[in-house]
């Protein structure tokens, strides 16, 4: 079977030595089960998507969990959350046992793990593939093809095509996850909501504005948004404030976890259409923002990625805070470099007190220069400037 190695593999393998439970969450089809079967090929696997397996787990959880003395791999654990309580008792009595868990609902699984397995579980998030992971197949792919196709494993491994994958993915998501979590009665209205979110990629999210356009209350919009987050469809990027309490109450920017889904929701039907679409710059920005967020997740880190905007409308696309220092990135989809790209980066140190270790413009052109105060980097080499834990 064709397998693409994932950056997070070493982290999970190391964590397996110290935690009785390893949990990997992420969107459907992001490769969670494939990754874990590759890392732990000898561990017995049970999927709770299987009705018979699920019935066994629900009716006799102790017998289900004790089928194998060394432990087991349980896929879609959120379908039988009661199992987490029994797993707690088992690993408390025998710390050598190992349980590998996956789930596609961040809210349900995180809540269950925090309630039942505090301190006993290594919790990791696996999003669609990074550009660096797919460089062997994507290196020569034109940028518009890359953005349109997205980075789900099925696309990257050439096992499916965007025009088949994304319509099915979104329909399945609405029919399965949304019905379970929200009990949405008007699916057309919810689809309009997702499309409105896609049209605002890279913009400050205003729930009242969207509620007004849909004819619903802002509380419903907030609820729907939380489900899209929990299901790894969208990501909210918070603003950077050195006053943390202020950071928590200010409005975030909205992005999608994969540019391919965004293209589908924006009715972009081909790379050629994307090339001339007014949203192309926003979709490129979405791609880079998610690459930075995935870089953090692959180190076992969450949060730490922000945007900067002040009352004078000065803005920097990404501030990545790691180990007390900032890496500041400005994103441009142009293939031609202009000095104006550096304008806000050059003044950033006047606006924030946090030490800034690196500044870079990430763009689509081939000219690169990492010798000055502000590096100029092609998107293919983004990973070169991102900080990693030693």
């Amino acid at each position: 079977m064709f397998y693409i190695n994932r950056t997070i593999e070493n982290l999970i393998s190391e964590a397996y030595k110290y935690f009785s439970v390893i949990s990997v969450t992420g969107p459907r089809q992001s490769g969670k089960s494939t990754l874990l079967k590759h890392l732990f090929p000898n561990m017995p696997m049970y999927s709770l998507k299987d009705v018979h397996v699920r019935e066994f787990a629900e009716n006799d959880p102790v017998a289900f969990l004790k089928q194998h003395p060394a432990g087991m791999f349980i896929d879609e654990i959120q379908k039988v959350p009661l199992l987490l309580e029994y797993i707690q008792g088992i690993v408390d009595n025998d710390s050598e046992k190992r349980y590998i868990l996956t789930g596609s609902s961040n809210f349900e699984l995180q809540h269950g793990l925090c309630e039942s397995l505090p301190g006993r579980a290594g919790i990791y998030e696996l999003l669609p593939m990074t550009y660096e992971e797919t460089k062997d197949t994507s290196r020569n792919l034109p940028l518009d093809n890359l953005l349109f196709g997205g980075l789900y494993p099925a696309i990257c491994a050439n096992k499916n095509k965007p025009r088949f994958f994304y319509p099915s993915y979104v329909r399945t998501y609405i029919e399965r996850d949304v019905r379970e979590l929200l009990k949405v009665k008007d699916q057309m209205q919810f689809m309009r909501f997702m499309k409105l979110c896609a049209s605002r990629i890279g913009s400050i999210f205003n729930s009242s504005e969207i509620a007004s356009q849909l004819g619903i209350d802002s509380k419903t919009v907030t609820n729907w948004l939380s489900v899209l987050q929990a299901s790894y469809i969208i990501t909210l990027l918070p603003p950077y404030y050195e006053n943390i309490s202020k950071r928590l109450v200010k409005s975030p920017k909205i992005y999608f976890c994969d540019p391919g889904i965004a293209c589908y929701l924006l009715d972009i039907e081909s790379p050629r259409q994307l090339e001339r679409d007014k949203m192309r710059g926003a979709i490129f920005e979405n791609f880079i923002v998610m690459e930075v967020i995935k870089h953090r997740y692959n180190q076992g880190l969450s949060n730490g990625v922000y945007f900067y905007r002040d009352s004078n409308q000065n803005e920097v696309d990404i501030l990545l805070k790691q180990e007390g220092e900032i890496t500041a990135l400005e994103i441009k989809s142009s293939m031609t470099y202009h000095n104006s790209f550096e304008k806000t980066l050059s003044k950033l140190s006047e606006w924030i007190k946090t030490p800034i270790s690196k500044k870079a413009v990430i763009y689509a052109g081939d000219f690169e220069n990492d010798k000055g105060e502000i590096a100029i980097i092609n998107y293919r080499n983004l990973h070169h400037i991102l900080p990693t834990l030693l």
Side-chain angles (χ1 to χ4, degrees), residues 12-13 16 22 35-44 73 100:
I12 292 174
S13 296
Y16 183 79
I22 295 291
L35 164 69
L36 293 169
K37 283 190 284 187
H38 174 77
L39 289 179
F40 308 106
N42 298 319
M43 182 164 282
F73 170 13
I100 308 295

Side-chain angles (χ1 to χ4, degrees), residues 9 29 36 82 104 159 181 220 281 299 309 322 362 377:
E9 288 175 14
Q29 303 294 316
L36 293 169
L82 183 65
S104 301
K159 293 180 179 179
L181 293 172
T220 300
Q299 297 180 86
R309 177 183 284 181
Q322 187 155 319
I362 310 299
I377 297 177

Side-chain angles (χ1 to χ4, degrees), residues 159-177:
K159 293 180 179 179
N160 209 330
K161 293 184 176 182
R163 66 190 182 97
F164 299 132
F165 180 82
Y166 291 109
S168 173
Y169 191 93
V170 172
R171 274 198 305 271
T172 301
Y173 165 68
I174 291 174
E175 291 174 0
R176 184 182 297 166
D177 292 12

Side-chain angles (χ1 to χ4, degrees), residues 37-81:
K37 283 190 284 187
H38 174 77
L39 289 179
F40 308 106
N42 298 319
M43 182 164 282
M45 176 188 171
Y46 295 87
S47 174
L48 297 179
K49 288 185 287 187
D50 185 307
V51 175
H52 301 294
V53 173
R54 189 163 67 247
E55 286 180 352
F56 179 21
E58 289 172 334
N59 294 330
D60 196 345
V62 173
F64 175 76
L65 292 170
K66 290 192 172 182
Q67 292 178 87
H68 304 281
M72 59 202 299
F73 170 13
I74 306 172
D75 192 29
E76 298 292 349
I77 185 70
Q78 81 278 354
K79 291 186 176 295
V80 188

Side-chain angles (χ1 to χ4, degrees), residues 24 39 41 47-48 68 73 99 128-129 149 156 171 175 186 204 206 224 240 255 278 310 320 336 342 356 373 380:
V24 179
L39 289 179
S47 174
L48 297 179
H68 304 281
F73 170 13
Y99 287 93
M129 308 195 84
C156 297
R171 274 198 305 271
E175 291 174 0
D186 189 341
I204 301 293
N206 186 324
W224 286 1
Y240 183 77
Y255 295 96
K278 65 179 182 180
D310 62 25
L320 170 56
T336 305
E342 302 181 14
I356 303 169
E373 179 191 359
R380 298 183 186 92

